[in-house]
Amino acid sequence: MNYRILIVDDDPAIAGLVRIYIEHEGWTCVMAGNGEEGLEALAYEEFHLIVLDVMMPRMDGMEFCRRVRETRSLPILMLSAKSEEMDKIAGMMTGADDYLAKPFHPLELVTRIKSLLRRAYQYNRQEPHPEGVIRIGPLVIDSRTHSAEVNGRNLHLTSKEFAILHLLASQPGRVLSAEAIFRQVWQEHYFDSNNTVMVHISNLRDKLEREMRERILVTVWGVGYKIDG
């Protein structure tokens, strides 16, 4: 498969080296010099994986990763000269799938990329569903009809509850913060004191558990919310 990979790094020497090894594998590579250019590339093209530097001007890798995770679940491999454990944890908390400290051996980079691509696009393959339909166990979410059902029974969601459910279910297992959910669903600036998301999550969880008899909408304390796929 001809994977498309986005490199977001402000160091031309490192980005160029990464590109050489990626293209040697037969994959297509696109380069962005900072986080803003990376987001612009994502707005116009589809990619299978992102190689992301942490320390960049204008928009660092952490902020870029947070912005990407608001709408996309593609694998992200972070690169950084920082190797302390807390920096790795911070990278993973913002949504990175793997973390590689500089300096690194190019073959290790390629090995990490191959592993992420296998997990994302080979091991996790599922039976195809009609476009716009998401299935998680007995739960069926249909964006075409703006409806959600459990075993054929309508959940009777409000428009905001449906939007939250669809956002989380489209990225099963991915934790989204209350701020990320609010920005995506309400399209407004988020305030720390705003408990709107928490209230809607609570109502949505009640409706799901009433029909499913199990908890799939999970709170990750101090981080956000996710749907267990």
Side-chain angles (χ1 to χ4, degrees):
M1 179 174 180
N2 182 20
Y3 292 109
R4 293 180 56 79
I5 296 176
L6 174 64
I7 301 173
V8 185
D9 196 319
D10 67 323
D11 187 327
I14 293 179
L17 178 64
V18 172
R19 179 174 189 168
I20 289 172
Y21 278 83
I22 286 176
E23 292 183 340
H24 181 73
E25 296 294 325
W27 306 326
T28 301
C29 184
V30 173
M31 300 173 69
N34 56 59
E36 292 178 356
E37 290 182 9
L39 291 177
E40 185 175 353
L42 284 169
Y44 291 98
E45 300 182 63
E46 291 296 326
F47 295 94
H48 296 96
L49 181 141
I50 299 173
V51 178
L52 172 66
D53 185 38
V54 173
M55 303 302 293
M56 294 184 294
R58 297 169 62 179
M59 180 188 296
D60 66 17
M62 299 292 186
E63 176 60 23
F64 174 85
C65 192
R66 279 190 287 266
R67 297 279 292 274
V68 171
R69 284 295 177 242
E70 292 177 3
T71 57
R72 292 172 174 82
S73 59
L74 76 167
I76 296 177
L77 171 60
M78 273 191 172
L79 306 177
S80 176
K82 295 182 177 181
S83 59
E84 290 81 3
E85 194 66 27
M86 288 308 298
D87 293 309
K88 295 180 182 180
I89 293 172
M92 299 306 221
M93 290 289 285
T94 58
D97 298 277
D98 200 356
Y99 187 106
L100 186 59
K102 300 176 184 177
F104 54 84
H105 194 289
L107 292 180
E108 181 181 4
L109 172 72
V110 172
T111 298
R112 299 282 191 99
I113 291 174
K114 287 182 176 179
S115 177
L116 289 172
L117 291 172
R118 280 196 301 269
R119 291 206 302 263
Y121 304 108
Q122 296 179 27
Y123 296 157
N124 293 332
R125 282 182 179 173
Q126 299 177 351
E127 290 299 315
H129 301 305
E131 184 176 357
V133 176
I134 300 172
R135 293 181 182 272
I136 300 177
L139 172 65
V140 179
I141 304 163
D142 193 336
S143 62
R144 302 168 303 178
T145 58
H146 210 72
S147 64
E149 299 179 345
V150 175
N151 294 320
R153 296 188 295 274
N154 196 322
L155 286 177
H156 301 291
L157 304 179
T158 67
S159 61
K160 290 294 190 286
E161 289 168 356
F162 178 84
I164 292 171
L165 177 62
H166 187 271
L167 176 64
L168 293 174
S170 64
Q171 306 174 67
R174 182 71 61 188
V175 181
L176 294 182
S177 67
E179 178 180 0
I181 294 171
F182 189 86
R183 286 174 57 184
Q184 285 296 300
V185 173
W186 276 264
Q187 298 290 308
E188 297 177 10
H189 183 69
Y190 178 81
F191 297 95
D192 288 339
S193 59
N194 192 335
N195 65 354
T196 302
V197 172
M198 181 180 67
V199 172
H200 281 75
I201 287 285
S202 177
N203 292 336
L204 176 58
R205 180 182 286 124
D206 288 344
K207 293 179 181 180
L208 285 169
E209 293 182 4
R210 191 179 305 129
E211 295 294 337
M212 297 189 69
R213 312 295 185 189
E214 62 177 312
R215 175 163 293 192
I216 67 165
L217 177 50
V218 179
T219 300
V220 181
W221 295 108
V223 183
Y225 306 94
K226 67 175 181 176
I227 289 285
D228 281 338

